[in-house]
Amino acid sequence: MKLLFLHRFKDVEGVEREFGGAERQLVDLVCGLQSRGHQVTLVTFYPGGGMLADAARTGVRIISLDKTGRWDLPGFLFRLLRVLRRERPDVVHGYLGLANSLLAVTRPIHRAKVVWGIRASDIDLSRYHWVARVDAWLERRLSRLPDLIIANSHAGKRHAAGLGYPTAKMIVIPNGVDLTRFQRDLSGRDRVRVEWGVRPDELLIGRIGRIDPQKDQPTFLEAAARVAAARADVRFVIVGNDQFGEQDQITPLVERLGLGDRLIWAGHRSDMAAVHSAFDLCVSSSAFGEGTPNVLVEAMACGTPCVTTDVGDSAQAVGNLGIVVPRRDPAALADGILAALDGPVDRAALRAHVADQFSIEHLVASTESALLELRPSSGQGSRAPVAQP
């Protein structure tokens, strides 16, 4: 099949966000589909490198629409229409928000089957820029136009159905983890802990995620203060990008809680297997908006146990191998952390759980199967590219 994927790869201001979990999933997916014999083109709003270079090395064609900013609309739309008319794909696949909407309304140009990807559940749009609210409104109004909607979580599917998305067109394909990339890295563990000044006899509790209201770092910090009061051998680290200066709003809370040098602000990291391996416990404190959190399944792939709030499909992600607590409840989160620190760790079971339910192979194969069903003429199970009409 000839497949075209469309995604921003940067935010509405053109600021780089290639480090996000959605972007990593998209690149892994297109690389996997390319390796199965499909002709894959990845179209991005903005130019970029990093993960896009990874895709290009596998043979995926990368086309940038060279958007220069939020208000670069006429030229951007003209370039998109030109690409769609020229490429004539069999299936177009939007990856979040505006990309979904654009592919739906341009169907007369590309004449392809339209697939949407949705990756959030009960997102609180009041906490975000008005552009995000407009994107969500437009997507909701157009939700009956795509041929297929793929949610990465059951919670996301339920949430979309509640907004009026057609349930008959929705399926769930959870995130996938590349088990060759995410595995326990003992040398990386030692290197990262030395870099952060964490002693071998200290337990390190990590929170990974951009500094964002969705991730609810304040609840994590309040829980951390309770844990710190109960145990002197524990330190905490927050790993993630602070794109919009949210950390400045959290700093007074850190000072009030007296966490001091018990807390490490690590910023963005690219060596995530080493980071997960450096943790003794991975915590997700999200308050809303999660689908299937990458951070949880990646941590478990590296043999790191998890405590999570009950948001999206987080509980399903950790299964009976993790601890699940209510959202926005620092006391419950602290109790969950303390229980996990005192409990046994079966690293092999954690990794086996991910391999069984969240492998990248399952993501690619399930997506391929769903896309092939949209093109009966491609033949049952065929992986050969479909001839142009």
Side-chain angles (χ1 to χ4, degrees):
M1 296 179 73
K2 193 171 184 181
L3 309 174
L4 183 147
F5 288 76
L6 179 66
H7 183 53
R8 279 189 203 278
F9 265 91
K10 296 187 181 181
D11 71 7
V12 294
E13 299 289 355
V15 176
E16 193 71 61
R17 64 182 304 270
E18 286 190 81
F19 42 78
E23 288 72 34
R24 182 75 263 172
Q25 287 289 298
L26 175 55
V27 167
D28 286 346
L29 174 60
V30 298
C31 290
L33 290 169
Q34 180 76 21
S35 72
R36 286 171 171 252
H38 302 284
Q39 299 177 31
V40 183
T41 300
L42 176 54
V43 180
T44 68
F45 287 21
Y46 299 91
M51 293 183 190
L52 295 180
D54 293 344
R57 279 191 288 271
T58 67
V60 174
R61 292 181 61 228
I62 310 296
I63 299 175
S64 172
L65 299 174
D66 295 328
K67 202 169 188 288
T68 58
R70 181 190 304 166
W71 303 115
D72 177 19
L73 295 176
F76 162 72
L77 292 174
F78 173 77
R79 292 187 292 274
L80 172 62
L81 294 175
R82 186 174 58 190
V83 167
L84 293 174
R85 185 181 295 111
R86 182 184 69 224
E87 296 298 316
R88 298 186 60 80
D90 299 304
V91 176
V92 294
H93 191 323
Y95 223 69
L96 304 175
L98 184 58
N100 287 338
S101 299
L102 287 171
L103 292 179
V105 299
T106 56
R107 187 196 291 266
I109 300 298
H110 56 69
R111 299 183 181 181
K113 296 293 185 179
V114 177
V115 179
W116 282 10
I118 56 176
R119 306 186 57 79
S121 53
D122 56 340
I123 193 75
D124 182 0
L125 290 171
S126 68
R127 309 289 296 271
Y128 295 95
H129 197 279
W130 66 267
V131 174
R133 295 194 290 275
V134 171
D135 279 356
W137 176 85
L138 182 61
E139 187 179 38
R140 187 164 64 249
R141 294 295 296 269
L142 299 173
S143 63
R144 298 195 173 275
L145 296 182
D147 299 284
L148 177 67
I149 302 172
I150 301 176
N152 77 333
S153 67
H154 294 280
K157 180 183 177 182
R158 290 192 298 269
H159 179 67
L163 295 174
Y165 286 56
T167 56
K169 294 183 178 182
M170 288 194 286
I171 63 172
V172 175
I173 301 177
N175 290 347
V177 176
D178 184 347
L179 292 168
T180 63
R181 181 187 303 125
F182 288 95
Q183 55 185 307
R184 193 145 187 86
D185 180 358
L186 294 179
S187 63
R189 170 184 170 87
D190 293 340
R191 172 178 53 80
V192 171
R193 287 169 69 97
V194 168
E195 179 183 342
W196 289 342
V198 180
R199 299 194 310 269
D201 62 331
E202 289 181 317
L203 298 173
L204 185 61
I205 299 170
R207 183 20 171 154
I208 296 175
R210 66 187 181 276
I211 313 300
D212 184 287
Q214 174 187 340
K215 306 302 181 183
D216 195 6
Q217 280 86 4
T219 288
F220 172 73
L221 293 170
E222 292 185 22
R226 292 170 182 262
V227 173
R231 297 191 59 149
D233 61 342
V234 174
R235 293 186 67 189
F236 309 90
V237 59
I238 292 179
V239 179
N241 181 56
D242 182 27
Q243 187 170 309
F244 298 111
E246 298 282 345
Q247 184 178 330
D248 291 341
Q249 301 178 33
I250 301 174
T251 300
L253 174 63
V254 175
E255 295 173 351
R256 179 172 62 80
L257 293 172
L259 287 170
D261 61 4
R262 302 283 291 272
L263 175 68
I264 303 161
W265 292 96
H268 166 61
R269 303 283 302 209
S270 58
D271 53 343
M272 294 310 299
V275 168
H276 281 297
S277 300
F279 295 170
D280 295 288
L281 184 67
C282 179
V283 175
S284 174
S285 57
S286 293
F288 57 84
E290 295 287 1
T292 299
N294 291 301
V295 64
L296 297 176
V297 291
E298 290 170 358
M300 290 187 292
C302 295
T304 301
C306 298
V307 175
T308 181
T309 50
D310 190 7
V311 176
D313 277 12
S314 297
Q316 293 92 320
V318 300
N320 62 1
L321 298 173
I323 294 177
V324 182
V325 302
R327 70 184 79 187
R328 293 193 173 110
D329 188 336
L333 184 58
D335 289 343
I337 291 171
L338 290 168
L341 292 176
D342 289 334
V345 178
D346 187 339
R347 302 194 195 282
L350 290 168
R351 186 168 174 82
H353 171 72
V354 175
D356 180 58
Q357 298 191 34
F358 301 103
S359 71
I360 195 67
E361 291 78 14
H362 179 266
L363 168 67
V364 174
S366 298
T367 304
E368 179 188 46
S369 178
L371 299 184
L372 285 171
E373 287 185 11
L374 297 176
R375 297 282 299 179
S377 62
S378 64
Q380 293 295 322
S382 172
R383 292 180 181 171
V386 177
Q388 288 289 326

